[in-house]
């Protein structure tokens, strides 16, 4: 048994290690950019919706429509549909760099919708109390809305991160690398079943770990 494990690691250890690093690179970079876009969009959706403090029907409906349209497109189609845009933005449409753009385009609207749902859970009476005291809107956003919604925001980002890892598994179709690419190229195309099993187990452990961390962090924030 140990001899078989050592033989497997000698043959595939380096490639699995590199694929794991690539998965982390794609996920972390795309998530950071998607949060930077999705969180403000989620806040804007909440503030411009009918009856809100900055209510604006046109802004809300346009944003709402754009987010719904992008979220309606499966990632595998989006990946190829925006190839010219990806090449224009980062100069390439292959590799880890080439897959970051479609991952951001796919994830940012999803995060915006999750942030909108999280922020809408904040008690409207609390917000109206701060507004009646003359507190500026930008302070209410960051010091009240975002603070009160932190547990839901963390859980939402955990869900988005897990979805993002699933999307990186399709990166192999444009030579993006990562664990999904390794499982596809060697596990599926070359019938290396052991590689397929190991990469699937690694992805399961990664998702389970992220979900546990997200749940624990959200529970801790809820107690504050």
């Amino acid at each position: 048994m140990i001899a078989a494990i050592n033989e497997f690691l000698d043959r595939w250890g380096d490639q699995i290690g590199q694929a794991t690093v690539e998965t982390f690179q794609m996920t972390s970079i795309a998530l950071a950019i998607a949060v930077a876009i999705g969180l403000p969009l989620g806040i804007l959706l909440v503030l411009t919706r009918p009856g809100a403090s900055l209510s604006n029907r046109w802004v809300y409906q346009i944003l709402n429509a754009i987010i719904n349209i992008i979220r309606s497109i499966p990632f595998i189609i989006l990946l190829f549909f925006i190839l010219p845009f990806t090449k224009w933005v980062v100069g390439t449409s292959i590799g880890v760099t080439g897959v970051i753009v479609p991952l951001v385009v796919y994830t940012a609207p999803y995060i915006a919708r999750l942030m909108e749902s999280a922020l809408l859970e904040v008690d409207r009476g609390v917000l109206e109390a701060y507004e009646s005291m003359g507190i500026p809107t930008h302070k209410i956003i960051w010091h009240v809305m975002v603070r009160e919604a932190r547990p839901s925001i963390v859980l939402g980002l955990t869900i988005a991160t897990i979805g993002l890892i699933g999307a990186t598994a399709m990166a192999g179709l444009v030579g993006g690398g990562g664990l999904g690419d390794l499982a596809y190229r060697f596990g599926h195309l070359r019938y290396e079943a052991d590689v397929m099993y190991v990469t699937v187990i690694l992805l399961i452990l990664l998702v389970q770990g992220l979900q546990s961390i997200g749940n624990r962090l959200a529970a801790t924030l809820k107690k504050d």
Side-chain angles (χ1 to χ4, degrees), residues 147-167:
R147 183 179 174 78
E148 290 291 323
R150 285 182 305 171
S152 298
I153 290 175
V154 168
L155 289 176
L157 290 179
T158 303
I159 294 170
T161 306
I162 291 171
L164 192 54
I165 291 172

Side-chain angles (χ1 to χ4, degrees), residues 53 126-145:
S53 57
V126 174
L127 300 179
E128 289 175 351
Y130 279 97
E131 288 171 358
S132 66
M133 288 188 285
I135 306 295
T137 301
H138 69 277
K139 288 188 177 180
I140 292 177
I141 292 169
W142 293 110
H143 298 294
V144 181
M145 292 177 69

Side-chain angles (χ1 to χ4, degrees), residues 62-76:
I62 290 171
L63 278 179
N64 199 44
I66 292 173
I67 288 172
N68 285 342
I69 289 170
I70 296 176
R71 289 190 61 211
S72 301
I73 305 173
F75 179 68
I76 191 65

Side-chain angles (χ1 to χ4, degrees), residues 8-189:
F8 177 83
L9 290 176
D10 287 341
R11 184 180 178 191
W12 297 104
D14 290 343
Q15 292 188 61
I16 291 175
Q18 183 182 349
T20 303
V21 170
E22 289 171 346
T23 295
F24 276 106
Q25 285 177 331
M26 287 186 284
T27 304
S28 58
I29 295 172
L31 181 66
I33 300 173
V35 169
I37 297 171
L39 181 57
L41 280 178
I43 293 173
L44 197 56
L45 281 169
V46 173
L47 293 179
T48 57
R49 66 188 299 112
S53 57
L54 301 178
S55 178
N56 186 311
R57 186 164 59 96
W58 289 106
V59 172
Y60 177 77
Q61 289 186 348
I62 290 171
L63 278 179
N64 199 44
I66 292 173
I67 288 172
N68 285 342
I69 289 170
I70 296 176
R71 289 190 61 211
S72 301
I73 305 173
F75 179 68
I76 191 65
I77 296 174
L78 183 71
L79 188 65
F80 291 105
F81 183 68
I82 65 169
L83 276 178
F85 176 71
T86 300
K87 194 168 184 178
W88 177 74
V89 173
V90 295
T92 180
S93 58
I94 61 173
V96 172
T97 304
V99 84
I100 294 296
V101 174
L103 285 174
V104 170
V105 173
Y106 175 72
T107 309
Y110 186 44
I111 289 179
R113 195 61 82 193
L114 289 171
M115 295 303 102
E116 180 192 20
S117 299
L119 294 172
L120 286 175
E121 292 179 6
V122 178
D123 190 342
R124 184 63 197 162
V126 174
L127 300 179
E128 289 175 351
Y130 279 97
E131 288 171 358
S132 66
M133 288 188 285
I135 306 295
T137 301
H138 69 277
K139 288 188 177 180
I140 292 177
I141 292 169
W142 293 110
H143 298 294
V144 181
M145 292 177 69
V146 174
R147 183 179 174 78
E148 290 291 323
R150 285 182 305 171
S152 298
I153 290 175
V154 168
L155 289 176
L157 290 179
T158 303
I159 294 170
T161 306
I162 291 171
L164 192 54
I165 291 172
T168 65
M170 301 178 201
L173 295 174
V174 293
L179 289 169
D181 178 41
L182 190 68
Y184 175 71
R185 283 192 295 122
F186 293 97
H188 176 65
L189 296 182

